[in-house]
Amino acid sequence: MRLKEIREENNLKQIEVANILKVSRSVYGMWEVEQDIIPLRRLNDFCNEFNVSFDYILELTDIKNYPNSHKDIDINKLKVRLTTLRKNAKLTQDKLSQKLEITRSLISKYEHSTNLILTSYLLEYSKYFNISSDYLIGKIDYIPKLNKTIKS
């Protein structure tokens, strides 16, 4: 992830970014060195604060931001897009769970919006299907071409 890169570009200390995200410096520090994974909503706050895309932060593209990007995660679009993506690939939840190495019940929870997808699994979906994370979570309504081919 490019958290540190963005922070340094903005000449900020970890404590300053932690304050923006309303977490402790140690929690933010763990996200920055990837000892822990930043929750999706906190990552959304970070992206909004620094005007960068999820795809950029997650290193799926070198495009820093997309025009007409929404500020919020759209849970309804997320569940529809995850389900549509799986079905278009002619995968059952069981088959997809094997490919992504997560439980079928988690896939079901994500597709029914029972649970908000974890950042790490959003990244896995994006990599496996080579699709924009920003599109999946409804921040943009078009599918940009990612400049990296990332089939798992």
Side-chain angles (χ1 to χ4, degrees), residues 9-137:
E9 283 176 6
N10 286 275
N11 297 311
L12 295 172
K13 295 180 178 167
Q14 282 187 347
I15 189 66
E16 294 170 304
V17 176
N19 288 339
I20 290 167
L21 298 177
K22 298 178 178 68
V23 297
S24 70
R25 195 230 33 95
S26 62
V27 166
Y28 173 76
M30 288 178 56
W31 295 340
E32 198 174 90
V33 298
E34 297 183 37
Q35 284 185 328
D36 197 3
I37 298 172
I38 186 170
L40 200 66
R41 292 199 191 279
R42 293 283 193 236
L43 184 56
N44 188 54
D45 293 341
F46 184 95
C47 290
N48 288 339
E49 179 69 29
F50 296 103
N51 194 30
V52 293
S53 69
F54 270 66
D55 293 340
Y56 182 76
I57 290 290
L58 298 174
E59 299 182 43
L60 298 173
T61 185
D62 292 327
I63 298 168
K64 280 198 171 184
N65 55 47
Y66 297 120
N68 304 316
S69 179
H70 307 290
K71 295 288 184 192
D72 296 321
I73 296 167
D74 188 321
I75 303 299
N76 289 323
K77 286 181 182 176
L78 174 61
K79 76 177 185 178
V80 168
R81 289 172 180 177
L82 291 177
T83 304
T84 301
L85 196 60
R86 177 182 57 77
K87 288 182 176 180
N88 286 347
K90 298 182 181 358
L91 293 170
T92 63
Q93 288 181 345
D94 284 325
K95 288 287 184 195
L96 183 57
S97 72
Q98 292 168 11
K99 292 183 180 296
L100 298 181
E101 297 180 357
I102 63 176
T103 65
R104 188 211 51 79
S105 65
L106 262 182
I107 289 175
S108 179
K109 288 176 182 179
Y110 297 155
E111 289 184 3
H112 291 95
S113 296
T114 308
N115 288 35
L116 180 61
I117 193 168
L118 297 175
T119 304
S120 57
Y121 292 140
L122 176 67
L123 179 58
E124 288 305 310
Y125 269 88
S126 292
K127 285 179 177 181
Y128 183 77
F129 291 105
N130 195 31
I131 194 163
S132 164
S133 291
D134 290 87
Y135 171 76
L136 286 176
I137 62 174

